[in-house]
Amino acid sequence: MTPAPARVLIDGDELRTGVARLGAELSAAYPRGMVLVAVLKGSVCFLADLVRFVTVPCEVDFLAISSYAEGTGRVRIVKDLDTDISDRDVVLVEDIVDTGLTLTYILGELERRGPRSLEVCALLDKTARRIVPTPLRFVGFPIEDEFVLGYGLDYAERYRNLDQVVAGDLAALRAEPDAHVEELFSR
Ligand code: IMP
């Protein structure tokens, strides 16, 4: 199966501009600082760039989750926070919000720990696919219903290290996870 060529949706310069804006928005909203909680692994590139645009004190912590079954929204925490977030201003940093199921689960978990405030900062927002209404206070880029790769986002652990966000051919990737490798990495 020949994949449709990957298409650049957001190039490196656009990413930097969007992430800088989010850093400025966070800094303005939390003059006394905040705890950024990033969800592994997809948010790593975003978080690493974002913190360098935050101009107030901020702490960083990580959560890792694993899905029980794709599309069910049932997830469990496989690496928990080291930080006690009770009475703290917390911002959950997500790579992409698609159906909103994962985010809703994580927000519920964090809310039970009694943060002073809890908001979401998402790089990409696929609004058309939302099943659970999810308030996103800080959004980098709204995108169409496309399967995206790069800047932390993967298919079967590939493509995370692209410095741009591309739309991939999901049917071709399902048949062959390396479907876009030659085209995207042999330049
Ligand atoms: P949700 O629970 O449907 O909102 O999706 C949650 C997770 O699915 C995200 O955090 C991503 O890890 C993954 N995901 C959703 N859409 C995409 C995509 O287009 N590319 C890569 N991963 C995605």
Side-chain angles (χ1 to χ4, degrees):
M1 176 173 195
T2 312
R7 240 170 350 97
V8 177
L9 280 191
I10 311 169
D11 68 24
D13 286 341
E14 291 170 317
L15 280 170
R16 262 182 296 284
T17 304
V19 176
R21 172 180 55 79
L22 289 172
E25 287 179 16
L26 288 171
S27 306
Y30 300 93
R32 288 173 305 159
M34 81 303 277
V35 183
L36 298 178
V37 170
V39 184
L40 294 170
K41 302 173 193 168
S43 301
V44 163
C45 296
F46 177 35
L47 177 81
D49 286 342
L50 182 65
V51 288
R52 284 174 281 182
F53 289 110
V54 171
T55 54
V56 296
C58 82
E59 290 179 35
V60 168
D61 207 343
F62 296 94
L63 265 184
I65 54 168
S66 104
S67 307
Y68 284 106
E70 200 187 335
T72 63
R74 292 189 60 216
V75 294
R76 72 194 159 96
I77 293 177
V78 293
K79 186 245 168 264
D80 208 336
L81 300 177
D82 299 322
T83 313
D84 175 4
I85 58 164
S86 65
D87 214 25
R88 304 292 304 274
D89 292 310
V90 177
V91 178
L92 184 64
V93 176
E94 265 284 25
D95 49 0
I96 186 165
V97 182
D98 184 13
T99 62
L101 290 166
T102 309
L103 188 67
T104 302
Y105 171 82
I106 299 172
L107 286 175
E109 279 292 312
L110 297 182
E111 199 59 73
R112 288 199 289 121
R113 303 175 189 194
R116 182 171 2 177
S117 66
L118 179 59
E119 301 286 354
V120 178
C121 177
L123 179 70
L124 305 174
D125 180 8
K126 253 193 227 182
T127 45
R129 301 242 317 154
R130 200 62 40 80
I131 293 174
V132 196
T134 334
L136 305 181
R137 168 108 184 255
F138 307 96
V139 173
F141 303 88
I143 61 168
E144 302 295 317
D145 180 9
E146 296 190 271
F147 190 77
V148 291
L149 301 165
Y151 197 62
L153 287 150
D154 74 312
Y155 184 87
E157 298 300 327
R158 282 94 161 156
Y159 313 103
R160 291 193 198 276
N161 58 320
L162 296 171
D163 65 354
Q164 49 194 7
V165 174
V166 305
D169 180 338
L170 188 55
L173 288 165
R174 284 193 174 123
E176 172 48 67
D178 286 327
H180 289 299
V181 164
E182 206 176 297
E183 155 199 8
L184 292 171
F185 291 107
S186 59
R187 290 173 288 161

